[in-house]
Amino acid sequence: MNKNDEIILNIDGTSSDGYGVGRYDGIAVFVPLTTEGDVARVKILKVKKSYAYGKMIELLTPSQSRKEPDCDVFSQCGGCVYRHINYEKECEIKSAKVENNIRRIGGYDLKPQQIIKADRICRYRNKAQFPVSLNGNTGFYATHSHRIIESDDCLLQPEIFTRLCAAITEWIKKYNISVYNESTGKGLIRHVYLRIAEKTQQIMVVIIINGDSLDYSKELTGLLLNVAGNNLKSLQININKKDTNVILGDICKTIYGQDYITDILCDVEIRISPLSFYQVNRDMAEKLYEKAAEYAEFEDKTVLDLYCGAGTIGLSLAKKAKKIIGVEIIPDAVEDAKINAENNGIKNAEFICMDAAAAAKELAIRKLKPDVVIVDPPRKGCTSDLLNTIANDFAPERLVYVSCDSATLARDCAILRDLGYILKEYTPVDMFPATSHIETVAKFIRQ
Ligand code: SAH
């Protein structure tokens, strides 16, 4: 097979990124925008030793799972990968992806529980970070790139975000505010970061800037108040002067209202600052936490909540647990977690600002013996150091693992088995419809 060849390909699988996959000449060919059951004419774009990438030129036989994409920029934007298939099929693909990782990488021949489906497959997000194009318009990055696809409405975001973006664009153009240029490092506005607390409808707007202050901020406030009225609770700038892909800098300054918004999650009032993690799909976060609670069997137990963000998982369990200890590395999130405990009258929760593995070591020295450990790490998963401390020093009955990347979850499954923790059950939870991402909750039992 060579670059620029045109082939007829039967698509019979899906890659972890959500691309259709077919086999040709004994190698896997990945083709974006195709799906299982398609037959397509494909132009080969790149050939490697054991796989190739192609582009669909013509769809010869469409899969039964296909539907008409409902977004104009679907084929270019790096956000959604499943707007061309029905939701049933999407869930089937996601569940199979998790099972495949658990089998192949984790070494477990164990089927997942029924995937927990989303109630809303559009406009479910409560957070967006829009890059701003040099024309002053908001948009999204193209797949694997920093090219900005201008888009004035995204089907994953609430409609109010579209109107807030329009107001910010109007302000940029009216007052000739400069926009950050990645190639020169000059210009002010880098990203627009929006959050909505869905239960209370409170809105936070953060303008990420390559500078220390914002001119015409009164005018911006006025325009945003026109859109959001009283729901606008917080307008902040975030300072990021580094030549980096990381969106947020370390410093936020409030220019209107409070420096946080408040949501309600699992009956707990949660205050969220810009730098604190908060699950982007609130309704599905409740379902995820319910499943984690079921697996934890936490009543009257001491629970260690590692990677706790603003304390949400632990605080949702606190009323029925004996004690909660949360660990998180971001200081603002720990501050939020402490205030959240106080505001909800929760007295049996303690929060520690530290790296999870280092904190675990220290807690082991303090002779802490949690009955249950919950971990909810970022995509890279847990360090083997941390898993060692959990298994050898804490030796809890149960470990509940909340994972946003089933490949690293599966890797950690294999490590945990060697440490005497057996994967009993796992459930995929669809927090991110239309994207390739899938959350998983897993329950491990000490042997
Ligand atoms: N359980 C929380 C947060 C999960 S996201 C919730 O459901 O909202 C993962 C969290 O891990 C983030 O808040 C991130 O800041 C934190 N984190 C990342 N690396 C860490 C580390 N090495 N030690 C402790 N926390 C870390």
Short mmCIF file of all heavy atoms in Angstrom, two decimals, residues 109-173:
data_model
loop_
_atom_site.label_atom_id
_atom_site.label_comp_id
_atom_site.label_asym_id
_atom_site.label_seq_id
_atom_site.Cartn_x
_atom_site.Cartn_y
_atom_site.Cartn_z
N ASP A 109 -10.71 -11.28 31.86
CA ASP A 109 -11.77 -11.71 30.96
C ASP A 109 -13.10 -11.43 31.67
O ASP A 109 -13.73 -12.33 32.19
CB ASP A 109 -11.59 -13.22 30.68
CG ASP A 109 -12.48 -13.66 29.54
OD1 ASP A 109 -13.05 -12.80 28.86
OD2 ASP A 109 -12.61 -14.89 29.37
N LEU A 110 -13.46 -10.16 31.73
CA LEU A 110 -14.62 -9.75 32.52
C LEU A 110 -15.43 -8.72 31.74
O LEU A 110 -14.89 -7.71 31.29
CB LEU A 110 -14.12 -9.12 33.83
CG LEU A 110 -15.14 -8.66 34.86
CD1 LEU A 110 -15.95 -9.84 35.39
CD2 LEU A 110 -14.45 -7.94 36.02
N LYS A 111 -16.72 -9.02 31.59
CA LYS A 111 -17.59 -8.10 30.83
C LYS A 111 -17.95 -6.89 31.68
O LYS A 111 -18.12 -7.02 32.89
CB LYS A 111 -18.87 -8.81 30.42
CG LYS A 111 -18.67 -9.83 29.32
CD LYS A 111 -19.89 -9.87 28.41
CE LYS A 111 -19.61 -10.60 27.12
NZ LYS A 111 -18.60 -9.98 26.28
N PRO A 112 -18.13 -5.70 31.06
CA PRO A 112 -18.58 -4.54 31.84
C PRO A 112 -20.05 -4.68 32.21
O PRO A 112 -20.79 -5.42 31.55
CB PRO A 112 -18.38 -3.37 30.88
CG PRO A 112 -18.41 -3.97 29.51
CD PRO A 112 -17.92 -5.38 29.63
N GLN A 113 -20.47 -3.98 33.24
CA GLN A 113 -21.90 -3.83 33.52
C GLN A 113 -22.49 -2.96 32.41
O GLN A 113 -21.76 -2.29 31.68
CB GLN A 113 -22.10 -3.15 34.87
CG GLN A 113 -21.54 -3.94 36.04
CD GLN A 113 -22.25 -5.27 36.22
OE1 GLN A 113 -23.46 -5.29 36.40
NE2 GLN A 113 -21.50 -6.36 36.17
N GLN A 114 -23.80 -2.96 32.31
CA GLN A 114 -24.51 -2.13 31.34
C GLN A 114 -24.02 -0.68 31.43
O GLN A 114 -23.99 -0.11 32.52
CB GLN A 114 -26.01 -2.22 31.67
CG GLN A 114 -26.91 -1.42 30.79
CD GLN A 114 -26.96 -2.01 29.39
OE1 GLN A 114 -26.97 -3.22 29.20
NE2 GLN A 114 -26.93 -1.14 28.40
N ILE A 115 -23.63 -0.11 30.31
CA ILE A 115 -23.18 1.29 30.30
C ILE A 115 -24.30 2.21 30.81
O ILE A 115 -25.47 1.98 30.50
CB ILE A 115 -22.72 1.70 28.88
CG1 ILE A 115 -22.13 3.11 28.85
CG2 ILE A 115 -23.86 1.60 27.87
CD1 ILE A 115 -21.46 3.47 27.50
N ILE A 116 -23.96 3.19 31.63
CA ILE A 116 -24.97 4.16 32.08
C ILE A 116 -25.02 5.26 31.02
O ILE A 116 -24.06 6.00 30.81
CB ILE A 116 -24.62 4.73 33.47
CG1 ILE A 116 -24.55 3.57 34.48
CG2 ILE A 116 -25.66 5.77 33.90
CD1 ILE A 116 -24.22 3.98 35.90
N LYS A 117 -26.16 5.32 30.34
CA LYS A 117 -26.30 6.24 29.22
C LYS A 117 -26.63 7.65 29.70
O LYS A 117 -27.21 7.82 30.77
CB LYS A 117 -27.43 5.77 28.31
CG LYS A 117 -27.07 4.54 27.52
CD LYS A 117 -28.17 4.17 26.57
CE LYS A 117 -27.78 2.89 25.84
NZ LYS A 117 -28.91 2.25 25.22
N ALA A 118 -26.31 8.61 28.85
CA ALA A 118 -26.62 10.01 29.18
C ALA A 118 -28.08 10.31 28.86
O ALA A 118 -28.64 9.75 27.91
CB ALA A 118 -25.71 10.93 28.36
N ASP A 119 -28.70 11.18 29.65
CA ASP A 119 -30.08 11.60 29.36
C ASP A 119 -30.08 12.63 28.24
O ASP A 119 -31.01 12.73 27.47
CB ASP A 119 -30.74 12.28 30.57
CG ASP A 119 -30.55 11.45 31.82
OD1 ASP A 119 -30.61 10.23 31.70
OD2 ASP A 119 -30.33 12.04 32.90
N ARG A 120 -29.03 13.44 28.23
CA ARG A 120 -28.94 14.50 27.22
C ARG A 120 -27.72 14.22 26.37
O ARG A 120 -26.63 14.06 26.91
CB ARG A 120 -28.70 15.85 27.92
CG ARG A 120 -29.93 16.54 28.39
CD ARG A 120 -29.56 17.87 28.99
NE ARG A 120 -28.75 17.71 30.19
CZ ARG A 120 -28.10 18.71 30.78
NH1 ARG A 120 -28.11 19.91 30.28
NH2 ARG A 120 -27.39 18.50 31.87
N ILE A 121 -27.87 14.20 25.07
CA ILE A 121 -26.69 13.99 24.25
C ILE A 121 -26.22 15.29 23.59
O ILE A 121 -25.18 15.33 22.95
CB ILE A 121 -26.89 12.84 23.22
CG1 ILE A 121 -28.09 13.11 22.34
CG2 ILE A 121 -27.05 11.52 23.93
CD1 ILE A 121 -28.22 12.07 21.23
N CYS A 122 -26.98 16.36 23.76
CA CYS A 122 -26.55 17.68 23.30
C CYS A 122 -26.56 18.64 24.49
O CYS A 122 -27.29 18.44 25.45
CB CYS A 122 -27.50 18.23 22.24
SG CYS A 122 -27.22 17.51 20.63
N ARG A 123 -25.76 19.67 24.41
CA ARG A 123 -25.74 20.79 25.37
C ARG A 123 -25.64 20.33 26.82
O ARG A 123 -26.30 20.86 27.69
CB ARG A 123 -26.99 21.67 25.17
CG ARG A 123 -27.11 22.17 23.72
CD ARG A 123 -27.89 23.45 23.62
NE ARG A 123 -28.10 23.83 22.23
CZ ARG A 123 -27.22 24.53 21.50
NH1 ARG A 123 -26.09 24.93 22.03
NH2 ARG A 123 -27.49 24.84 20.25
N TYR A 124 -24.82 19.31 27.04
CA TYR A 124 -24.69 18.78 28.39
C TYR A 124 -23.52 19.39 29.15
O TYR A 124 -23.40 19.20 30.35
CB TYR A 124 -24.53 17.25 28.35
CG TYR A 124 -23.37 16.76 27.51
CD1 TYR A 124 -22.07 16.74 28.04
CD2 TYR A 124 -23.54 16.33 26.20
CE1 TYR A 124 -21.00 16.31 27.26
CE2 TYR A 124 -22.48 15.90 25.43
CZ TYR A 124 -21.22 15.89 25.96
OH TYR A 124 -20.15 15.47 25.21
N ARG A 125 -22.64 20.11 28.48
CA ARG A 125 -21.44 20.60 29.17
C ARG A 125 -21.74 21.86 29.98
O ARG A 125 -22.58 22.67 29.61
CB ARG A 125 -20.33 20.91 28.15
CG ARG A 125 -19.67 19.67 27.57
CD ARG A 125 -18.49 20.06 26.70
NE ARG A 125 -17.50 20.78 27.45
CZ ARG A 125 -16.37 20.25 27.94
NH1 ARG A 125 -16.09 18.99 27.72
NH2 ARG A 125 -15.53 21.00 28.61
N ASN A 126 -21.00 22.03 31.08
CA ASN A 126 -21.16 23.24 31.87
C ASN A 126 -19.90 24.10 31.83
O ASN A 126 -19.78 25.07 32.56
CB ASN A 126 -21.53 22.89 33.32
CG ASN A 126 -20.47 22.01 33.98
OD1 ASN A 126 -19.28 22.11 33.68
ND2 ASN A 126 -20.90 21.15 34.89
N LYS A 127 -18.97 23.71 30.97
CA LYS A 127 -17.69 24.43 30.93
C LYS A 127 -17.15 24.43 29.50
O LYS A 127 -17.22 23.41 28.82
CB LYS A 127 -16.69 23.71 31.83
CG LYS A 127 -15.27 24.18 31.70
CD LYS A 127 -14.34 23.34 32.53
CE LYS A 127 -12.90 23.69 32.25
NZ LYS A 127 -11.96 22.88 32.98
N ALA A 128 -16.63 25.57 29.07
CA ALA A 128 -15.98 25.61 27.75
C ALA A 128 -14.83 26.58 27.78
O ALA A 128 -14.86 27.59 28.48
CB ALA A 128 -16.99 26.04 26.69
N GLN A 129 -13.77 26.23 27.05
CA GLN A 129 -12.64 27.13 26.88
C GLN A 129 -12.46 27.36 25.39
O GLN A 129 -12.01 26.47 24.68
CB GLN A 129 -11.39 26.51 27.52
CG GLN A 129 -11.51 26.48 29.04
CD GLN A 129 -10.42 25.69 29.72
OE1 GLN A 129 -9.98 24.65 29.22
NE2 GLN A 129 -9.98 26.14 30.88
N PHE A 130 -12.87 28.52 24.94
CA PHE A 130 -12.84 28.81 23.50
C PHE A 130 -11.57 29.57 23.15
O PHE A 130 -11.33 30.65 23.71
CB PHE A 130 -14.02 29.71 23.11
CG PHE A 130 -15.38 29.15 23.41
CD1 PHE A 130 -16.00 29.41 24.63
CD2 PHE A 130 -16.06 28.39 22.47
CE1 PHE A 130 -17.28 28.93 24.90
CE2 PHE A 130 -17.32 27.89 22.75
CZ PHE A 130 -17.93 28.16 23.96
N PRO A 131 -10.77 29.07 22.20
CA PRO A 131 -9.69 29.91 21.68
C PRO A 131 -10.30 31.06 20.87
O PRO A 131 -11.41 30.93 20.35
CB PRO A 131 -8.90 28.96 20.78
CG PRO A 131 -9.82 27.85 20.43
CD PRO A 131 -10.85 27.77 21.52
N VAL A 132 -9.58 32.17 20.79
CA VAL A 132 -10.09 33.33 20.05
C VAL A 132 -9.23 33.50 18.80
O VAL A 132 -8.00 33.51 18.88
CB VAL A 132 -10.03 34.60 20.93
CG1 VAL A 132 -10.58 35.80 20.18
CG2 VAL A 132 -10.81 34.38 22.23
N SER A 133 -9.88 33.58 17.65
CA SER A 133 -9.13 33.70 16.39
C SER A 133 -8.63 35.13 16.24
O SER A 133 -9.11 36.05 16.91
CB SER A 133 -10.02 33.33 15.20
OG SER A 133 -10.92 34.39 14.96
N LEU A 134 -7.69 35.34 15.33
CA LEU A 134 -7.12 36.67 15.15
C LEU A 134 -8.18 37.68 14.68
O LEU A 134 -8.02 38.88 14.84
CB LEU A 134 -5.94 36.62 14.18
CG LEU A 134 -4.73 35.86 14.75
CD1 LEU A 134 -3.64 35.68 13.70
CD2 LEU A 134 -4.16 36.55 15.99
N ASN A 135 -9.29 37.16 14.14
CA ASN A 135 -10.40 38.06 13.77
C ASN A 135 -11.25 38.45 14.97
O ASN A 135 -12.21 39.18 14.82
CB ASN A 135 -11.35 37.37 12.78
CG ASN A 135 -10.63 36.84 11.57
OD1 ASN A 135 -9.66 37.45 11.14
ND2 ASN A 135 -11.08 35.72 11.05
N GLY A 136 -10.95 37.88 16.13
CA GLY A 136 -11.74 38.22 17.31
C GLY A 136 -12.93 37.32 17.53
O GLY A 136 -13.77 37.57 18.40
N ASN A 137 -13.04 36.24 16.73
CA ASN A 137 -14.17 35.32 16.91
C ASN A 137 -13.75 34.13 17.75
O ASN A 137 -12.60 33.70 17.70
CB ASN A 137 -14.66 34.81 15.55
CG ASN A 137 -15.21 35.94 14.70
OD1 ASN A 137 -15.91 36.82 15.21
ND2 ASN A 137 -14.86 35.95 13.43
N THR A 138 -14.70 33.57 18.50
CA THR A 138 -14.40 32.36 19.28
C THR A 138 -14.59 31.13 18.39
O THR A 138 -15.29 31.19 17.38
CB THR A 138 -15.32 32.25 20.50
OG1 THR A 138 -16.67 32.35 20.06
CG2 THR A 138 -15.02 33.32 21.52
N GLY A 139 -13.95 30.04 18.77
CA GLY A 139 -14.08 28.82 17.97
C GLY A 139 -13.55 27.63 18.72
O GLY A 139 -13.52 27.61 19.95
N PHE A 140 -13.11 26.63 17.96
CA PHE A 140 -12.54 25.42 18.52
C PHE A 140 -11.32 25.04 17.71
O PHE A 140 -11.21 25.41 16.55
CB PHE A 140 -13.55 24.27 18.46
CG PHE A 140 -14.76 24.55 19.27
CD1 PHE A 140 -15.88 25.11 18.69
CD2 PHE A 140 -14.76 24.30 20.62
CE1 PHE A 140 -16.99 25.41 19.46
CE2 PHE A 140 -15.85 24.59 21.39
CZ PHE A 140 -16.97 25.15 20.81
N TYR A 141 -10.44 24.27 18.32
CA TYR A 141 -9.29 23.79 17.57
C TYR A 141 -9.69 22.65 16.64
O TYR A 141 -10.50 21.81 17.00
CB TYR A 141 -8.20 23.29 18.53
CG TYR A 141 -7.52 24.39 19.30
CD1 TYR A 141 -7.40 24.32 20.68
CD2 TYR A 141 -6.99 25.50 18.64
CE1 TYR A 141 -6.76 25.33 21.40
CE2 TYR A 141 -6.36 26.51 19.35
CZ TYR A 141 -6.25 26.42 20.71
OH TYR A 141 -5.62 27.42 21.42
N ALA A 142 -9.08 22.63 15.46
CA ALA A 142 -9.26 21.50 14.54
C ALA A 142 -8.56 20.28 15.15
O ALA A 142 -7.71 20.41 16.03
CB ALA A 142 -8.64 21.83 13.19
N THR A 143 -8.92 19.09 14.66
CA THR A 143 -8.36 17.85 15.19
C THR A 143 -6.83 17.89 15.19
O THR A 143 -6.23 18.24 14.16
CB THR A 143 -8.82 16.66 14.29
OG1 THR A 143 -10.20 16.84 14.04
CG2 THR A 143 -8.60 15.33 14.97
N HIS A 144 -6.20 17.51 16.29
CA HIS A 144 -4.75 17.44 16.45
C HIS A 144 -4.05 18.69 15.94
O HIS A 144 -3.02 18.63 15.27
CB HIS A 144 -4.17 16.23 15.70
CG HIS A 144 -4.74 14.94 16.15
ND1 HIS A 144 -4.79 14.56 17.47
CD2 HIS A 144 -5.33 13.93 15.45
CE1 HIS A 144 -5.35 13.38 17.56
NE2 HIS A 144 -5.71 12.97 16.37
N SER A 145 -4.61 19.88 16.19
CA SER A 145 -3.99 21.08 15.64
C SER A 145 -4.38 22.31 16.46
O SER A 145 -5.27 22.23 17.31
CB SER A 145 -4.43 21.23 14.17
OG SER A 145 -4.93 22.51 13.91
N HIS A 146 -3.72 23.42 16.21
CA HIS A 146 -4.11 24.67 16.86
C HIS A 146 -4.74 25.64 15.86
O HIS A 146 -4.81 26.84 16.09
CB HIS A 146 -2.92 25.31 17.58
CG HIS A 146 -2.84 24.86 19.00
ND1 HIS A 146 -2.27 25.58 20.00
CD2 HIS A 146 -3.33 23.74 19.58
CE1 HIS A 146 -2.39 24.92 21.15
NE2 HIS A 146 -3.01 23.80 20.91
N ARG A 147 -5.16 25.09 14.72
CA ARG A 147 -5.89 25.91 13.76
C ARG A 147 -7.29 26.11 14.36
O ARG A 147 -7.93 25.17 14.83
CB ARG A 147 -5.99 25.16 12.43
CG ARG A 147 -6.55 25.95 11.28
CD ARG A 147 -6.20 25.23 9.97
NE ARG A 147 -6.61 23.82 9.98
CZ ARG A 147 -7.82 23.40 9.65
NH1 ARG A 147 -8.75 24.23 9.26
NH2 ARG A 147 -8.11 22.10 9.69
N ILE A 148 -7.74 27.36 14.37
CA ILE A 148 -9.03 27.64 15.01
C ILE A 148 -10.16 27.57 13.98
O ILE A 148 -10.12 28.24 12.95
CB ILE A 148 -9.01 29.01 15.71
CG1 ILE A 148 -7.98 28.98 16.86
CG2 ILE A 148 -10.39 29.36 16.25
CD1 ILE A 148 -7.72 30.32 17.50
N ILE A 149 -11.13 26.70 14.28
CA ILE A 149 -12.34 26.64 13.46
C ILE A 149 -13.34 27.58 14.12
O ILE A 149 -13.81 27.32 15.22
CB ILE A 149 -12.94 25.20 13.47
CG1 ILE A 149 -11.90 24.14 13.15
CG2 ILE A 149 -14.15 25.11 12.57
CD1 ILE A 149 -11.33 24.20 11.77
N GLU A 150 -13.64 28.69 13.46
CA GLU A 150 -14.60 29.62 14.07
C GLU A 150 -15.97 28.95 14.06
O GLU A 150 -16.38 28.35 13.08
CB GLU A 150 -14.64 30.92 13.26
CG GLU A 150 -13.35 31.70 13.38
CD GLU A 150 -13.36 32.99 12.58
OE1 GLU A 150 -14.39 33.27 11.92
OE2 GLU A 150 -12.36 33.72 12.63
N SER A 151 -16.64 29.04 15.18
CA SER A 151 -17.96 28.40 15.26
C SER A 151 -18.78 29.22 16.23
O SER A 151 -18.34 29.51 17.34
CB SER A 151 -17.78 26.98 15.78
OG SER A 151 -19.01 26.49 16.28
N ASP A 152 -19.98 29.64 15.79
CA ASP A 152 -20.71 30.50 16.72
C ASP A 152 -21.70 29.73 17.58
O ASP A 152 -22.28 30.29 18.49
CB ASP A 152 -21.36 31.70 16.01
CG ASP A 152 -22.12 31.26 14.79
OD1 ASP A 152 -22.35 30.06 14.64
OD2 ASP A 152 -22.48 32.14 13.98
N ASP A 153 -21.89 28.44 17.31
CA ASP A 153 -22.74 27.67 18.21
C ASP A 153 -22.22 26.25 18.26
O ASP A 153 -21.97 25.65 17.23
CB ASP A 153 -24.19 27.70 17.72
CG ASP A 153 -25.14 27.07 18.74
OD1 ASP A 153 -24.84 27.15 19.94
OD2 ASP A 153 -26.17 26.52 18.33
N CYS A 154 -22.05 25.72 19.47
CA CYS A 154 -21.57 24.34 19.61
C CYS A 154 -22.66 23.54 20.31
O CYS A 154 -23.17 23.94 21.35
CB CYS A 154 -20.29 24.33 20.44
SG CYS A 154 -19.85 22.67 20.99
N LEU A 155 -23.01 22.40 19.74
CA LEU A 155 -24.11 21.58 20.27
C LEU A 155 -23.79 20.90 21.59
O LEU A 155 -24.66 20.28 22.19
CB LEU A 155 -24.53 20.54 19.23
CG LEU A 155 -25.23 21.11 18.01
CD1 LEU A 155 -25.49 20.01 16.98
CD2 LEU A 155 -26.55 21.77 18.40
N LEU A 156 -22.52 20.96 22.02
CA LEU A 156 -22.20 20.39 23.33
C LEU A 156 -22.40 21.42 24.45
O LEU A 156 -22.47 21.08 25.62
CB LEU A 156 -20.76 19.87 23.38
CG LEU A 156 -20.38 18.78 22.38
CD1 LEU A 156 -18.99 18.24 22.70
CD2 LEU A 156 -21.39 17.64 22.40
N GLN A 157 -22.46 22.69 24.08
CA GLN A 157 -22.50 23.76 25.08
C GLN A 157 -23.91 24.31 25.24
O GLN A 157 -24.70 24.30 24.30
CB GLN A 157 -21.59 24.93 24.64
CG GLN A 157 -20.22 24.55 24.16
CD GLN A 157 -19.37 23.89 25.24
OE1 GLN A 157 -19.70 23.95 26.42
NE2 GLN A 157 -18.29 23.25 24.84
N PRO A 158 -24.20 24.85 26.43
CA PRO A 158 -25.51 25.49 26.61
C PRO A 158 -25.62 26.72 25.70
O PRO A 158 -24.62 27.35 25.38
CB PRO A 158 -25.51 25.90 28.08
CG PRO A 158 -24.10 25.86 28.54
CD PRO A 158 -23.37 24.90 27.65
N GLU A 159 -26.85 27.04 25.30
CA GLU A 159 -27.04 28.15 24.37
C GLU A 159 -26.51 29.48 24.90
O GLU A 159 -26.01 30.30 24.15
CB GLU A 159 -28.53 28.29 24.03
CG GLU A 159 -28.87 27.49 22.80
CD GLU A 159 -30.33 27.05 22.76
OE1 GLU A 159 -31.08 27.30 23.73
OE2 GLU A 159 -30.69 26.43 21.75
N ILE A 160 -26.58 29.64 26.20
CA ILE A 160 -26.14 30.93 26.77
C ILE A 160 -24.65 31.17 26.48
O ILE A 160 -24.23 32.31 26.30
CB ILE A 160 -26.43 30.99 28.30
CG1 ILE A 160 -26.06 32.35 28.90
CG2 ILE A 160 -25.67 29.92 29.07
CD1 ILE A 160 -27.17 33.26 29.13
N PHE A 161 -23.86 30.10 26.33
CA PHE A 161 -22.43 30.27 26.02
C PHE A 161 -22.27 30.94 24.65
O PHE A 161 -21.38 31.75 24.43
CB PHE A 161 -21.69 28.93 26.03
CG PHE A 161 -21.38 28.40 27.42
CD1 PHE A 161 -21.92 28.98 28.55
CD2 PHE A 161 -20.53 27.31 27.58
CE1 PHE A 161 -21.64 28.49 29.83
CE2 PHE A 161 -20.23 26.82 28.85
CZ PHE A 161 -20.79 27.40 29.97
N THR A 162 -23.14 30.57 23.73
CA THR A 162 -23.09 31.14 22.39
C THR A 162 -23.33 32.64 22.46
O THR A 162 -22.62 33.44 21.83
CB THR A 162 -24.18 30.47 21.52
OG1 THR A 162 -24.01 29.07 21.62
CG2 THR A 162 -24.10 30.91 20.08
N ARG A 163 -24.31 33.02 23.29
CA ARG A 163 -24.63 34.45 23.39
C ARG A 163 -23.54 35.20 24.15
O ARG A 163 -23.23 36.34 23.82
CB ARG A 163 -26.01 34.62 24.04
CG ARG A 163 -27.11 34.25 23.03
CD ARG A 163 -28.50 34.46 23.58
NE ARG A 163 -28.91 33.33 24.40
CZ ARG A 163 -29.51 33.42 25.58
NH1 ARG A 163 -29.74 34.60 26.11
NH2 ARG A 163 -29.86 32.33 26.23
N LEU A 164 -22.94 34.56 25.14
CA LEU A 164 -21.84 35.22 25.86
C LEU A 164 -20.64 35.42 24.94
O LEU A 164 -20.00 36.48 24.94
CB LEU A 164 -21.44 34.38 27.09
CG LEU A 164 -22.46 34.35 28.23
CD1 LEU A 164 -22.13 33.23 29.21
CD2 LEU A 164 -22.52 35.69 28.97
N CYS A 165 -20.36 34.40 24.13
CA CYS A 165 -19.25 34.52 23.17
C CYS A 165 -19.51 35.66 22.19
O CYS A 165 -18.60 36.42 21.85
CB CYS A 165 -19.06 33.22 22.39
SG CYS A 165 -18.19 31.97 23.33
N ALA A 166 -20.76 35.77 21.74
CA ALA A 166 -21.09 36.83 20.78
C ALA A 166 -20.85 38.20 21.43
O ALA A 166 -20.31 39.12 20.79
CB ALA A 166 -22.54 36.69 20.32
N ALA A 167 -21.20 38.34 22.70
CA ALA A 167 -21.00 39.61 23.40
C ALA A 167 -19.50 39.93 23.52
O ALA A 167 -19.08 41.07 23.34
CB ALA A 167 -21.65 39.56 24.77
N ILE A 168 -18.72 38.89 23.81
CA ILE A 168 -17.27 39.10 23.97
C ILE A 168 -16.63 39.48 22.62
O ILE A 168 -15.79 40.37 22.53
CB ILE A 168 -16.61 37.86 24.60
CG1 ILE A 168 -17.13 37.69 26.04
CG2 ILE A 168 -15.08 37.98 24.60
CD1 ILE A 168 -16.86 36.34 26.67
N THR A 169 -17.08 38.81 21.57
CA THR A 169 -16.60 39.13 20.22
C THR A 169 -16.94 40.58 19.85
O THR A 169 -16.11 41.32 19.32
CB THR A 169 -17.24 38.15 19.21
OG1 THR A 169 -16.76 36.86 19.51
CG2 THR A 169 -16.86 38.49 17.80
N GLU A 170 -18.16 40.97 20.19
CA GLU A 170 -18.60 42.35 19.90
C GLU A 170 -17.69 43.35 20.64
O GLU A 170 -17.23 44.33 20.06
CB GLU A 170 -20.05 42.50 20.38
CG GLU A 170 -20.65 43.88 20.10
CD GLU A 170 -22.03 44.03 20.77
OE1 GLU A 170 -22.72 43.01 21.01
OE2 GLU A 170 -22.39 45.19 21.06
N TRP A 171 -17.39 43.03 21.88
CA TRP A 171 -16.54 43.90 22.71
C TRP A 171 -15.12 43.98 22.14
O TRP A 171 -14.53 45.06 22.01
CB TRP A 171 -16.55 43.33 24.14
CG TRP A 171 -15.53 43.91 25.07
CD1 TRP A 171 -15.58 45.11 25.71
CD2 TRP A 171 -14.31 43.27 25.48
NE1 TRP A 171 -14.47 45.26 26.50
CE2 TRP A 171 -13.67 44.15 26.38
CE3 TRP A 171 -13.70 42.05 25.19
CZ2 TRP A 171 -12.45 43.85 26.98
CZ3 TRP A 171 -12.50 41.74 25.78
CH2 TRP A 171 -11.88 42.63 26.66
N ILE A 172 -14.57 42.82 21.73
CA ILE A 172 -13.21 42.80 21.15
C ILE A 172 -13.15 43.69 19.92
O ILE A 172 -12.23 44.50 19.74
CB ILE A 172 -12.80 41.35 20.78
CG1 ILE A 172 -12.57 40.51 22.03
CG2 ILE A 172 -11.54 41.34 19.89
CD1 ILE A 172 -12.31 39.02 21.78
N LYS A 173 -14.18 43.58 19.08
CA LYS A 173 -14.16 44.33 17.82
C LYS A 173 -14.42 45.82 18.06
O LYS A 173 -13.74 46.67 17.49
CB LYS A 173 -15.18 43.73 16.85
CG LYS A 173 -14.72 42.34 16.39
CD LYS A 173 -15.64 41.68 15.41
CE LYS A 173 -15.06 40.31 15.05
NZ LYS A 173 -15.96 39.45 14.32
#
